[in-house]
Amino acid sequence: MSVVILDFGSQYTRLIARRVRELRAYSVILPGTASLERILAEQPQAIILSGGPNSVFDPSSPKPAEGLLEQGLPVLGICYGMQYLAQALGGRVERAGRREYGKAVLTRHEGPLFAGLEGELQMWMSHSDAVTALPEGWKVIAETEENPVAAIAAPDGRTFGVQFHPEVVHSPKGMAVLENFLELAGVRRDWTPEHTLETLIADIRAKVGSDRVLLAVSGGVDSSTLALLLSRAIGSQLTAVFVDHGLLRLGERHEVEQALRPLGDENLRVVDASEQFLQALKGVSDPEEKRKIVGREFIRVFEAEARKLSQEGCRWLAQGTLYPDVIESAGGEGAANIKSHHNVGGLPPDLKFELLEPFRYLFKDEVRELALLLGLPEPIRMRHPFPGPGLAIRILGEVTPHKLDILRRADDIFISALREWNLYDSVSQALAVLTPMQSVGVIGDERSYGYVLGLRAVSTVDFMTADWARLPLDFLDEVARKITRQVPEIGRVVYDITSKPPATIEWE
């Protein structure tokens, strides 16, 4: 049972799905043109039609499957979705006199969709078309100063259209509108972390049976949570392989090993391949080449372990693929291919594993909730993103053991200070970058030359764009003093105040 969200190209579609799940209702995203059979296969309790950049009176604009509106399902049309409902059921949509974009206030709103909401409501608008005539029996239930038709309701009391976007943070009461719709539609609200955990364990056991499963563990929250989940579901049938490529942060290998101790020594294989990776990176400065080398060497190491297990009868290869990956790769329909951005991307086809992706319909925040239930330590559960090539791309230029040692110590001071000042959770990602530049300084009465270290911290919602974090000046002062005092190889510390775009979050 689910809420099916039909995507017509809105930049907010994924956000709609997350908001519905935050309200403890299961949601799935399908292409706006998905077949009726595909939609009904999800056993929908309600349908949400997303916004989109098209105009409904354009003959080539995307339309839902024929017969969908005759299924008797509750429907919420958002922006383009509302315009489609109005036109498809006999109303009229026309070009607005001018585009309504940004914050708008509902000067009038009424009916059960706005139950519990009093006074004027701020909502976010983004449209250039407008509904100018309603289908028979429908009525206007909200308006703004510039738009007399900001929301509409069908006679059945379970189908609505809203011109605004209730899913975005710029609509402060938007979640209440979505919750009212779910209540009016009679949608089940049992999508809790506990329910999800029980369902995943049952599904894994039913699918895997008595077979063995291989998992590559990177040390991040997704693969670490998956390791604990599989261990709980199938116990000794799991073999998790953690490859230490020598490019981890200070103490990270030990931290991951301790977190995965519940798997048991016989189910966790830790491969120290640091010498192999560092030898392959020797003399290489180009960042893209470094990425390719790390990926290639990882595949070689993991492939060797995988072949041992395939010979022992291991059938399944588990991955921590998340729902956003599925949406981006296949429009929500899903794909079985191993994607290149995953840890085990590029494994040769003759390994003949079947793919197991328990998280393929979960968002990152839902995985973190499962991690809490499974007992994953908090420092890993809430850890900031860390690139697959590790510190190799946080050292500008050639990677050497000496430079890795310098960066590890400096990075640890920065991250530890963020935690001590209770700033770690207020930023989305923080990192230190060792540059090849050396700058003159003074130690005692003598001139010195030390490396220049860059610090970076950003705030973001989706990592597509990011703003540099306004960390307190006293904090930055303390961190710079600690780094130059405790890591004497560093002579100067700078703070990156470039947003994304034009910069990227990582320096390489």
Side-chain angles (χ1 to χ4, degrees):
M1 307 294 280
S2 64
V3 175
V4 171
I5 300 163
L6 296 182
D7 180 17
F8 295 104
S10 171
Q11 60 182 315
Y12 304 129
T13 301
R14 189 183 305 178
L15 191 53
I16 299 172
R18 290 190 61 180
R19 293 289 182 253
V20 171
R21 292 193 185 187
E22 287 170 12
L23 292 167
R24 299 309 185 200
Y26 179 60
S27 62
V28 295
I29 298 173
L30 296 179
T33 55
S35 68
L36 183 60
E37 181 182 20
R38 177 69 184 90
I39 295 171
L40 297 180
E42 296 291 343
Q43 298 181 289
Q45 292 182 291
I47 303 292
I48 295 180
L49 308 178
S50 85
N54 298 282
S55 294
V56 293
F57 43 80
D58 182 345
S60 63
S61 63
K63 305 289 193 302
E66 189 173 343
L68 177 63
L69 299 184
E70 285 73 54
Q71 298 301 309
L73 292 166
V75 179
L76 174 65
I78 297 175
C79 197
Y80 175 87
M82 166 176 148
Q83 294 162 11
Y84 168 77
L85 284 175
Q87 186 189 65
L89 297 174
R92 186 169 64 251
V93 178
E94 298 179 12
R95 287 284 186 193
R98 68 182 205 179
R99 185 181 184 190
E100 190 175 23
Y101 181 82
K103 297 176 182 178
V105 175
L106 301 184
T107 54
R108 180 182 74 85
H109 54 85
E110 62 184 33
L113 190 64
F114 298 98
L117 302 177
E118 303 294 336
E120 295 185 340
L121 301 178
Q122 175 186 302
M123 296 294 176
W124 183 263
M125 297 280 190
S126 179
H127 66 102
S128 53
D129 296 344
V131 174
T132 57
L134 301 186
E136 185 177 354
W138 285 58
K139 64 178 182 178
V140 175
I141 56 173
E143 63 183 54
T144 69
E145 288 186 359
E146 296 186 7
N147 186 357
V149 186
I152 56 179
D156 67 2
R158 301 196 309 160
T159 297
F160 305 90
V162 294
Q163 190 59 71
F164 53 86
H165 288 272
E167 69 274 18
V168 302
V169 295
H170 306 296
S171 297
K173 299 295 183 181
M175 282 287 280
V177 173
L178 290 174
E179 185 169 23
N180 284 338
F181 170 69
L182 296 180
E183 288 296 322
L184 293 166
V187 172
R188 286 171 54 181
R189 307 275 291 282
D190 59 358
W191 185 250
T192 64
E194 293 80 7
H195 175 77
T196 304
L197 180 59
E198 292 175 5
T199 301
L200 288 176
I201 289 174
D203 289 347
I204 290 167
R205 288 173 176 168
K207 190 170 187 177
V208 171
S210 59
D211 298 326
R212 297 186 62 189
V213 177
L214 171 64
L215 168 68
V217 177
S218 67
V221 62
D222 300 332
S223 63
S224 297
T225 303
L226 183 54
L228 294 178
L229 171 67
L230 291 170
S231 179
R232 183 173 294 191
I234 58 175
S236 61
Q237 294 167 238
L238 167 70
T239 298
V241 177
F242 175 40
V243 178
D244 179 2
H245 50 29
L247 305 168
L248 299 172
R249 291 163 289 193
L250 189 67
E252 191 164 13
R253 172 175 167 172
H254 176 73
E255 188 178 39
V256 173
E257 287 187 78
Q258 289 300 113
L260 299 183
R261 213 27 85 195
L263 273 64
D265 293 337
E266 68 279 5
N267 299 112
L268 176 63
R269 298 188 183 184
V270 180
V271 181
D272 187 348
S274 53
E275 289 188 15
Q276 176 178 332
F277 278 81
L278 289 176
Q279 186 61 36
L281 288 166
K282 191 173 182 178
V284 178
S285 296
D286 179 76
E288 284 306 304
E289 187 63 22
K290 286 193 284 188
R291 289 178 185 274
K292 291 176 183 177
I293 289 172
V294 173
R296 181 194 70 206
E297 295 303 314
F298 181 90
I299 290 169
R300 287 178 177 174
V301 174
F302 188 78
E303 181 183 355
E305 295 297 317
R307 288 197 186 281
K308 296 175 189 176
L309 289 165
S310 62
Q311 292 169 3
E312 297 171 14
C314 190
R315 176 182 174 186
W316 298 92
L317 176 64
Q319 283 199 130
T321 305
L322 300 185
Y323 197 29
D325 301 328
V326 176
I327 297 168
E328 290 170 359
S329 64
E333 295 287 358
N337 294 329
I338 298 174
K339 295 162 60 180
S340 61
H341 63 267
H342 287 304
N343 292 333
V344 292
L347 284 177
D350 62 341
L351 285 176
K352 296 183 174 63
F353 287 105
E354 293 186 45
L355 200 58
L356 181 66
E357 297 177 310
F359 294 162
R360 67 182 287 106
Y361 292 112
L362 299 184
F363 289 101
K364 175 74 82 173
D365 56 326
E366 293 173 318
V367 172
R368 293 191 196 277
E369 290 179 330
L370 289 179
L372 182 63
L373 294 177
L374 290 164
L376 188 69
E378 201 70 3
I380 296 180
R381 189 178 82 88
M382 298 306 294
R383 176 177 288 166
H384 292 169
F386 187 60
L391 298 181
I393 59 168
R394 292 182 178 176
I395 294 175
L396 307 189
E398 183 182 5
V399 179
T400 67
H402 179 58
K403 290 180 179 178
L404 282 167
D405 176 60
I406 294 171
L407 181 55
R408 281 194 183 102
R409 286 180 284 143
D411 176 81
D412 183 63
I413 291 170
F414 182 35
I415 300 302
S416 296
L418 284 169
R419 295 188 188 281
E420 291 166 6
W421 282 61
N422 293 320
L423 294 170
Y424 185 83
D425 293 334
S426 68
V427 299
S428 305
Q429 189 170 350
L431 58 130
V433 179
L434 186 65
T435 78
M437 296 182 294
Q438 289 190 304
S439 172
V440 68
V442 178
I443 297 180
D445 295 325
E446 298 181 0
R447 288 165 60 88
S448 66
Y449 280 89
Y451 286 105
V452 176
L453 183 82
L455 301 180
R456 182 147 172 79
V458 299
S459 299
T460 179
V461 174
D462 55 12
F463 289 90
M464 300 298 291
T465 61
D467 195 14
W468 63 276
R470 273 64 171 175
L471 297 176
L473 294 180
D474 288 346
F475 167 81
L476 293 173
D477 178 61
E478 178 179 302
V479 169
R481 289 175 184 273
K482 280 187 175 181
I483 289 175
T484 52
R485 185 170 63 248
Q486 298 177 26
V487 189
E489 298 92 336
I490 294 174
R492 192 177 298 267
V493 177
V494 298
Y495 186 56
D496 183 350
I497 60 169
T498 318
S499 294
K500 175 186 179 182
T504 55
I505 295 175
E506 297 285 347
W507 278 31
E508 283 196 345

